[in-house]
Amino acid sequence: MVAYVAVMVGVSLLRNVINTGFISKKYEVIIKNALDGDLDSDRKLGVTGFNADLLNGLREFIKSNPKGCCAELGTLIALSGSIKDHIEVEFFYTDTKTTWLSALALSNCLSECGVAQGINVIGSTQVPLFGGNDLDEGLASLVNVVGRKLASRVSGGDDAYVAFTGGTKIEAVLVSMVAWLIGARPIYLMEGGPLVVLPMLPVDLNGSVINVLCSAIKGNASDLQGLIRLGLINVTKDGYKVPKWVNALLKVKGLC
């Protein structure tokens, strides 16, 4: 059997490499500033990230402590120790260069350094979440990209998991919702504790909800108060709006 794991990449690898003083000083400032949200430093990191010296430094850090180098790899190693299946991993990163560099270093090291047996990286995919200054569009992109991958693997008979890291993030909340609606399991590694594998919940949208949503998307729905209370439809000054991520989820599941 094969287990598919969609990993939502955060920045714990870069934070840890900075906090431990492992990385060269010439890269430390730009990484730290990018982690602090400086947009110019984040853009510079997109160029610096291709430097072989920096990538090699990150690889050596990962090799020095695979389980503890970052939340993402720690989660994968914990999962591989709890299931018998071969694991196929796909990393998903946002449009920040910090998450891109983290995904690049992790996928590179897992593929070439032999730090975790039985874990095969099959891809690394960007989800444009923040760069377009349209959060609704970004969330729809997340549902569309990650949801389609999960749905494809679940329909093919594979066990599917979604791994996310600590901190309250809108993408972690949303991707958990997507996982439950598609039939995948969210997983989370407690800091200093065990791996938590949440169950597949028997959650679905009922037929009447789907019919109203699909009609609303086409602009000819009525009796929307129930779905407005649920938050599946938003009231606007011009009437109502179905959030783009809801539309994307319906399409992923082939419902509209």
Side-chain angles (χ1 to χ4, degrees), residues 13 16 48 61 84 86 131 156 161 169 188 196 201-203 215 222-223 236-237 255:
L13 174 66
N16 289 344
T48 309
F61 178 68
K84 296 180 180 179
H86 175 78
Y161 301 84
K169 307 182 188 74
Y188 177 75
V196 178
L201 297 177
V203 176
S215 296
S222 59
D223 193 21
T236 70
K237 63 180 181 180
L255 298 175

Side-chain angles (χ1 to χ4, degrees), residues 36-66:
D36 288 340
D38 181 70
L39 295 179
D40 186 54
S41 294
D42 192 72
R43 285 190 291 268
K44 289 179 180 177
L45 193 61
V47 177
T48 309
F50 287 108
N51 189 299
D53 185 38
L54 174 55
L55 272 178
N56 285 337
L58 292 173
R59 282 163 54 109
E60 290 303 313
F61 178 68
I62 294 168
K63 288 164 60 179
S64 71
N65 185 8

Side-chain angles (χ1 to χ4, degrees), residues 37-256:
D38 181 70
L39 295 179
D40 186 54
S41 294
D42 192 72
R43 285 190 291 268
K44 289 179 180 177
L45 193 61
V47 177
T48 309
F50 287 108
N51 189 299
D53 185 38
L54 174 55
L55 272 178
N56 285 337
L58 292 173
R59 282 163 54 109
E60 290 303 313
F61 178 68
I62 294 168
K63 288 164 60 179
S64 71
N65 185 8
K67 290 183 180 180
C69 69
C70 62
E72 293 84 358
L73 189 49
T75 300
L76 291 171
I77 292 174
L79 181 65
S80 70
S82 65
I83 63 175
K84 296 180 180 179
D85 298 343
H86 175 78
I87 294 176
E88 291 188 346
V89 176
E90 188 161 7
F91 291 110
F92 294 89
Y93 58 93
T94 67
D95 33 18
T96 63
K97 300 307 180 186
T98 49
T99 58
W100 163 77
L101 180 57
S102 297
L104 177 64
L106 285 168
S107 59
N108 183 283
C109 200
L110 273 172
S111 298
E112 300 181 7
C113 300
V115 294
Q117 299 302 315
I119 299 176
N120 180 40
V121 179
I122 61 171
S124 187
T125 303
Q126 184 187 52
V127 179
L129 191 60
F130 305 112
N133 295 318
D134 184 343
L135 182 59
D136 192 24
E137 186 69 42
L139 295 177
S141 175
L142 175 67
V143 172
N144 187 53
V145 174
V146 181
R148 287 186 185 280
K149 296 294 181 71
L150 289 171
S152 175
R153 299 304 292 254
V154 170
S155 65
D158 294 330
D159 285 335
Y161 301 84
V162 176
F164 54 88
T165 57
T168 303
K169 307 182 188 74
I170 183 61
E171 58 266 37
V173 175
L174 187 58
V175 81
S176 297
M177 292 168 56
V178 172
W180 279 319
L181 284 166
I182 288 175
R185 282 175 280 190
I187 59 176
Y188 177 75
L189 184 66
M190 300 290 290
E191 186 174 354
L195 176 72
V196 178
V197 181
L198 297 174
M200 286 186 287
L201 297 177
V203 176
D204 209 345
L205 298 173
N206 66 43
S208 61
V209 169
I210 293 169
N211 290 337
V212 174
L213 281 173
C214 292
S215 296
I217 289 169
K218 296 174 184 176
N220 55 8
S222 59
D223 193 21
L224 303 178
Q225 289 305 310
L227 297 190
I228 290 172
R229 284 195 298 272
L230 290 174
L232 291 171
I233 292 179
N234 297 331
V235 176
T236 70
K237 63 180 181 180
D238 299 319
Y240 68 88
K241 177 183 179 183
V242 179
K244 292 178 182 178
W245 71 264
V246 174
N247 192 352
L249 181 60
L250 292 170
K251 290 180 179 177
V252 164
K253 289 180 65 68
L255 298 175
C256 284

